[in-house]
Amino acid sequence: NAGVTQTPKFRILKIGQSMTLQCTQDMNHNYMYWYRQDPGMGLKLIYYSVGAGITDKGEVPNGYNVSRSTTEDFPLRLELAAPSQTSVYFCASSETGYSGNTIYFGEGSWLTVV
Amino acid sequence: QKEVEQNSGPLSVPEGAIASLNCTYSDRVSQSFFWYRQYSGKSPELIMSIYSNGDKEDGRFTAQLNKASQYVSLLIRDSQPSDSATYLCAVNHPDGGSQGNLIFGKGTKLSVKP
């Protein structure tokens, strides 16, 4: 049981490049999330999904896109990378959206935009 | 703007002492409160959740909630060097209540000295 798996773990992008952060979970969770964490800061929600085919914006969605074609996968697309997108990205999942439900995090993806 | 405030620290305590971590939140309708532990370079890990006023104990950890004062705390008894980490306070985002979103504080860095 791998839980939430993210790839790549580290990546350096040049300004203006695009890339996709992959996320997959094997717990059959309906809810999936993408957070970013800047140094010394808490996590901020970028996008979330309540099930296959359904996505919605979080607090900081600008510059990102997501899709959810299957229950397992929730990729995050960065278009036209900017230095402000240098951050650590965490994918997460939970069984339901009930506020008391445990959210499981992936190990993180460190992205640097130069 | 819904906010969760924490003292960034670092909080330094000797081994065996009680570490006290504090968190305040701005949205009075928040209902669920969580403490995550994050080791350097790792993903957040849920260690405590609390939903009702009062204390909740789990091993060496005690969470305390006071909704009237909009205050939640985490006590770590018999602190160990392995407890050295950043502790993130998280509060549920009450809008709609369906996406399980959390608002995170910036975290308090705890250092337990042998």
Side-chain angles (χ1 to χ4, degrees):
Chain A
N1 189 337
V4 180
T5 304
Q6 297 178 230
T7 57
K9 193 168 179 67
F10 300 98
R11 181 74 186 267
I12 298 175
L13 274 183
K14 293 184 178 180
I15 294 172
Q17 286 185 323
S18 300
M19 74 160 296
T20 299
L21 297 175
Q22 302 292 343
C23 176
T24 187
Q25 52 92 8
D26 62 0
M27 297 175 281
N28 201 33
H29 285 171
N30 289 316
Y31 285 69
M32 296 188 73
Y33 315 84
W34 274 105
Y35 289 89
R36 61 176 286 174
Q37 185 178 32
D38 298 332
M41 304 292 285
L43 287 82
K44 294 191 181 295
L45 184 68
I46 306 171
Y47 271 95
Y48 68 97
S49 168
V50 303
I54 306 170
T55 62
D56 207 347
K57 297 178 180 178
E59 185 181 356
V60 289
N62 291 343
Y64 306 94
N65 279 300
V66 293
S67 59
R68 184 93 180 273
S69 57
T70 67
T71 299
E72 294 79 20
D73 300 308
F74 190 40
L76 178 71
R77 177 83 176 163
L78 281 73
E79 305 282 1
L80 299 175
S84 61
Q85 293 178 303
T86 294
S87 191
V88 183
Y89 292 83
F90 290 101
C91 181
S93 72
S94 63
E95 186 173 2
T96 72
Y98 169 56
S99 61
N101 211 229
T102 300
I103 294 179
Y104 296 87
F105 287 88
E107 294 191 344
S109 297
W110 274 252
L111 176 66
T112 301
V113 181
V114 297
Chain B
Q1 178 81 12
K2 301 173 180 63
E3 294 184 345
V4 176
E5 300 287 342
Q6 295 181 254
N7 187 326
S8 61
L11 173 66
S12 184
V13 300
E15 184 174 357
I18 295 175
S20 178
L21 304 163
N22 304 314
C23 173
T24 60
Y25 59 95
S26 63
D27 197 325
R28 188 169 289 277
V29 301
S30 298
Q31 298 176 358
S32 305
F33 308 87
F34 306 87
W35 284 99
Y36 283 80
R37 178 176 60 200
Q38 187 175 26
Y39 291 114
S40 181
K42 300 295 184 182
S43 59
E45 172 192 14
L46 179 67
I47 55 171
M48 288 288 286
S49 58
I50 186 166
Y51 311 108
S52 304
N53 279 328
D55 296 358
K56 178 181 178 182
E57 186 174 317
D58 184 359
R60 296 186 297 111
F61 298 97
T62 298
Q64 299 175 318
L65 175 61
N66 184 327
K67 290 187 178 181
S69 300
Q70 295 175 237
Y71 175 92
V72 58
S73 66
L74 179 70
L75 301 178
I76 306 174
R77 291 181 300 281
D78 188 23
S79 295
Q80 302 296 309
S82 59
D83 294 326
S84 297
T86 296
Y87 289 81
L88 301 171
C89 174
V91 175
N92 82 299
H93 191 302
D95 288 358
S98 64
Q99 79 270 30
N101 184 21
L102 299 177
I103 305 297
F104 283 85
K106 296 179 181 180
T108 298
K109 187 172 184 178
L110 173 66
S111 178
V112 181
K113 304 297 186 183

